Amino acid sequence: MKKFFLSLLLVIAATVSYMIYKENSFSPLNKNDFKKLFAGDDISFDKVCSKDFLGATIHGEIFDFYNYKVEGATIDKDYPKIVEWENKKITNETITGKWEKCPIDFKAMSLYKSSILNATNLDMYNCSGSFKKDIINPKNYYSYIYFSEAEAYFLLYCTDEQELHYVRLRM
């Protein structure tokens, strides 16, 4: 009986460890996505951190926040070149934005007014702590893919840090 409980405990520990590893190593963006976002042939990236905002806040924010260190990327006004994003086709109803200098314009602000950009708890975490400061820095660039209020993506590229903030809103 003792061996059974020890074996069960080992199986549970291995399962939990695997789940934690999968969660920490998950990246929604891959090499092909970075080729759609930036000009340049030799783009490398590394996920620095991520934070899952599950709505446990006063305003009920539900989104994922990712930071990537990016090297070899060039901002080009013809990018992003997107026909599909996260396995969903871009349609006539989809609103996409090419890279624009920060701070964000009225159109982008109106698309995200009730969600990502007004989240109250971004500065509470290391991963997203600089987002509100970075979004008003005129050296930085932003872009977006907006399918609906329930599915939208916001990208903020910080030129000095060569860092991409990627925010996914998927309800």
Side-chain angles (χ1 to χ4, degrees):
M1 189 63 128
K2 191 176 186 180
K3 286 184 179 182
F4 172 76
F5 284 118
L6 184 58
S7 297
L8 183 62
L9 182 62
L10 286 173
V11 168
I12 292 171
T15 303
V16 169
S17 297
Y18 177 75
M19 291 170 55
I20 290 170
Y21 167 76
K22 289 298 278 182
E23 178 65 27
N24 288 333
S25 64
F26 173 75
S27 174
L29 299 181
N30 59 40
K31 185 80 168 170
N32 288 332
D33 294 323
F34 279 89
K35 287 181 180 180
K36 295 174 190 176
L37 296 175
F38 299 104
D41 294 327
D42 194 25
I43 301 170
S44 63
F45 64 95
D46 185 37
K47 184 180 91 170
V48 177
C49 64
S50 63
K51 176 70 180 139
D52 192 358
F53 292 90
L54 292 174
T57 64
I58 295 170
H59 297 289
E61 292 92 3
I62 300 175
F63 57 89
D64 300 321
F65 192 98
Y66 296 87
N67 269 353
Y68 292 90
K69 187 72 173 166
V70 183
E71 293 182 12
T74 304
I75 291 291
D76 184 324
K77 296 290 184 170
D78 292 330
Y79 280 77
K81 292 186 175 185
I82 301 171
V83 294
E84 180 181 66
W85 193 252
E86 292 210 16
N87 299 317
K88 190 168 182 179
K89 295 275 186 214
I90 302 296
T91 66
N92 290 337
E93 291 80 36
T94 308
I95 303 169
T96 60
K98 301 292 184 190
W99 288 115
E100 295 287 337
K101 276 194 161 285
C102 290
I104 65 171
D105 65 13
F106 178 76
K107 180 179 180 179
M109 184 61 90
S110 65
L111 290 174
Y112 295 94
K113 68 179 178 244
S114 63
S115 59
I116 298 166
L117 302 179
N118 291 321
T120 57
N121 56 348
L122 289 173
D123 54 357
M124 294 173 52
Y125 302 96
N126 288 338
C127 193
S128 59
S130 66
F131 182 77
K132 290 196 176 192
K133 176 184 62 136
D134 292 337
I135 204 165
I136 60 172
N137 184 341
K139 292 181 180 179
N140 298 337
Y141 292 84
Y142 70 94
S143 183
Y144 50 87
I145 302 109
Y146 186 89
F147 289 101
S148 68
E149 282 189 27
E151 184 175 3
Y153 307 90
F154 190 85
L155 303 122
L156 176 64
Y157 181 71
C158 303
T159 55
D160 288 343
E161 296 87 10
Q162 294 184 336
E163 189 173 77
L164 176 70
H165 299 301
Y166 179 51
V167 186
R168 302 166 74 214
L169 172 69
R170 297 176 70 171
M171 292 192 241

